[in-house]
Amino acid sequence: MKRRELLRGAGLAAVATGLAACGARPEGAADGGPTASTERLQWKMVTSWPTNFPGLGTGAAKLAAMITAASGGRLTVKVYGAGELVPAFEVFDAVGRGTAEMGHSASYYWKGKAAAAPFFCAVPFGLNAQEMNGWLYEGGGLEIWRELYAHFGLVPFPAGNTGVQMAGWFRKPVESLADLQGLKMRIPGLGGEVMARVGATPVNLPGAEIFSSLQTGAIDAAEWVGPYNDLAFGLHRAAKYCYYPGWQEPGPTLECMVNKAAFDALPQDLRDIVDACCRAVNDAMLAEYTARNQQALDRLVREHDVELRQLPDDVLLALRRASDKVLEETAAADPMARRALDSMRAFQAQAKAWHAVSEEAYYATRG
Ligand code: CA
């Protein structure tokens, strides 16, 4: 039940403070102006992460705190970890029906509801974090995402990115494609479908269930995120072999989804604040992973004797070929997926050409 209360005459100074903190002003409003409101709203944010889980959960908490502060308390957001209000994989439905006004999750969890959804999180062998931001913000991706989610009563915002992930944890080494046959692996999204094409059995589990499933042998392998998050879950205590690179998630965008009716009812300045804070967290989360991953990987290898290995070339090639087929078949079966794939592919071709003479060329010279 949404709780609203009106506090008369207390809002305008808070609006100015909030917008100054966010670096934005409402359109057409000089001093609070006609778009400002003194109504005080309390929103719930449900998430797919354990409360305050490093990077993901803390990112959601940061977003909620930022919106609350930037709005001067006019829009207070309270965060609920996975399972506190709704289970991890019910965030999409809960926000769509208004059980919560806001959610923090990953769009590839919803591929069973909308075939195009994974494109806005991660596509195997697709865009990295920098390219995802380019495509979503400046390359038409966000428009397609907004159109897709509108059918579900939702407004999506990019709200975090982990950067390139790892291929995952395996209880036995992967020497060749034969080692993937019959392998039961936790891997969500289109990456899971690709693994199925090369003979594995993908399963989807919320993060909090990965360790016990891997430790008991209910699954043989699991991908989660990367060193920073995998160390926090202790996945190295359940499987010895850690493989790279994360072909399945080269730069996954996390999402903030807002109930569309609730968002549309906001005054313009609060909508701008939500947008600006999502952008800020989208950036802050990538900075956090960039700063923490190698520190965690050093600990995994030096203190916990993890076997760090690269997937064999022939395995990566088979996965890439299978990915092309999965993406093409997904697009052939669904018009929105077709639009998302075509838009993303056009952007990826451009990004690849540019990055060949910029990012990649620079990495090669850095030594
Ligand atoms: Ca992952």
Side-chain angles (χ1 to χ4, degrees):
M1 185 69 71
K2 189 182 292 182
R3 182 170 155 249
R4 296 182 178 206
E5 52 183 336
L6 289 170
L7 290 185
R8 296 182 189 282
L12 294 183
V15 173
T17 306
L19 288 171
C22 242
R25 295 189 71 81
E27 287 173 24
D31 299 307
T35 57
S37 157
T38 56
E39 189 176 19
R40 297 179 80 85
L41 302 168
Q42 297 204 345
W43 278 13
K44 299 183 187 78
M45 180 199 284
V46 289
T47 73
S48 298
W49 331 116
T51 304
N52 284 326
F53 187 76
L56 304 171
T58 54
K62 200 178 285 180
L63 175 59
M66 217 180 271
I67 292 170
T68 302
S71 68
R74 287 168 54 222
L75 178 54
T76 298
V77 182
K78 181 172 165 51
V79 180
Y80 294 85
E84 288 182 2
L85 202 59
V86 298
F89 293 155
E90 287 181 23
V91 168
F92 188 87
D93 287 343
V95 179
R97 68 174 175 256
T99 301
E101 293 82 1
M102 191 173 258
H104 195 270
S105 191
S107 68
Y108 63 14
Y109 291 142
W110 323 125
K111 72 183 168 81
K113 300 174 189 300
F119 290 91
F120 310 105
C121 175
V123 162
F125 300 97
L127 306 177
N128 68 15
Q130 191 177 350
E131 294 162 348
M132 278 300 287
N133 287 335
W135 179 55
L136 290 171
Y137 290 132
E138 302 289 339
L142 187 54
E143 282 85 350
I144 302 173
W145 193 5
R146 292 250 159 98
E147 194 179 321
L148 177 73
Y149 271 33
H151 294 296
F152 299 91
L154 296 166
V155 184
F157 298 84
N161 200 304
T162 66
V164 183
Q165 299 201 350
M166 297 293 268
W169 296 84
F170 294 76
R171 288 161 63 91
K172 292 179 183 168
V174 179
E175 309 284 6
S176 72
L177 215 48
D179 294 322
L180 297 182
Q181 304 310 303
L183 188 92
K184 203 167 173 189
M185 179 170 187
R186 185 272 180 189
I187 173 169
L190 295 175
E193 294 188 27
V194 172
M195 283 300 276
R197 299 297 174 94
V198 299
T201 303
V203 296
N204 196 9
L205 296 169
E209 294 175 28
I210 297 174
F211 175 78
S212 59
S213 300
L214 194 56
Q215 191 183 40
T216 60
I219 55 176
D220 307 303
E223 75 82 54
W224 172 225
V225 180
Y228 179 40
N229 281 166
D230 296 359
L231 177 65
F233 268 156
L235 299 187
H236 56 282
R237 290 187 278 113
K240 179 179 169 128
Y241 301 94
C242 179
Y243 277 89
Y244 66 91
W247 58 273
Q248 79 287 5
E249 297 192 47
T253 293
L254 285 310
E255 65 182 356
C256 172
M257 62 182 91
V258 182
N259 178 277
K260 192 169 187 311
F263 187 74
D264 290 346
L266 290 178
Q268 184 63 46
D269 64 331
L270 290 185
R271 286 188 228 169
D272 291 344
I273 284 172
V274 169
D275 181 67
C277 292
C278 284
R279 281 179 179 259
V281 164
N282 194 43
D283 185 54
M285 191 187 291
L286 182 60
E288 185 176 351
Y289 279 97
T290 303
R292 303 281 176 264
N293 265 330
Q294 187 56 37
Q295 296 167 354
L297 186 57
D298 282 343
R299 286 189 58 198
L300 287 168
V301 172
R302 289 177 193 166
E303 296 175 24
H304 300 290
D305 295 324
V306 163
E307 282 264 356
L308 178 65
R309 297 186 179 189
Q310 183 166 7
L311 282 175
D313 288 344
D314 60 332
V315 169
L316 285 168
L317 184 61
L319 290 168
R320 203 169 81 214
R321 286 179 174 153
S323 293
D324 288 341
K325 286 184 188 155
V326 166
L327 292 178
E328 194 45 57
E329 288 170 22
T330 302
D334 182 274
M336 284 301 280
R338 173 88 272 159
R339 281 177 58 197
L341 177 60
D342 289 351
S343 174
M344 176 179 271
R345 273 201 176 135
F347 190 89
Q348 187 161 346
Q350 174 192 296
K352 188 177 174 188
W354 168 238
H355 281 169
V357 298
S358 58
E359 302 289 333
E360 289 176 34
Y362 169 66
Y363 289 159
T365 64
R366 190 156 63 173

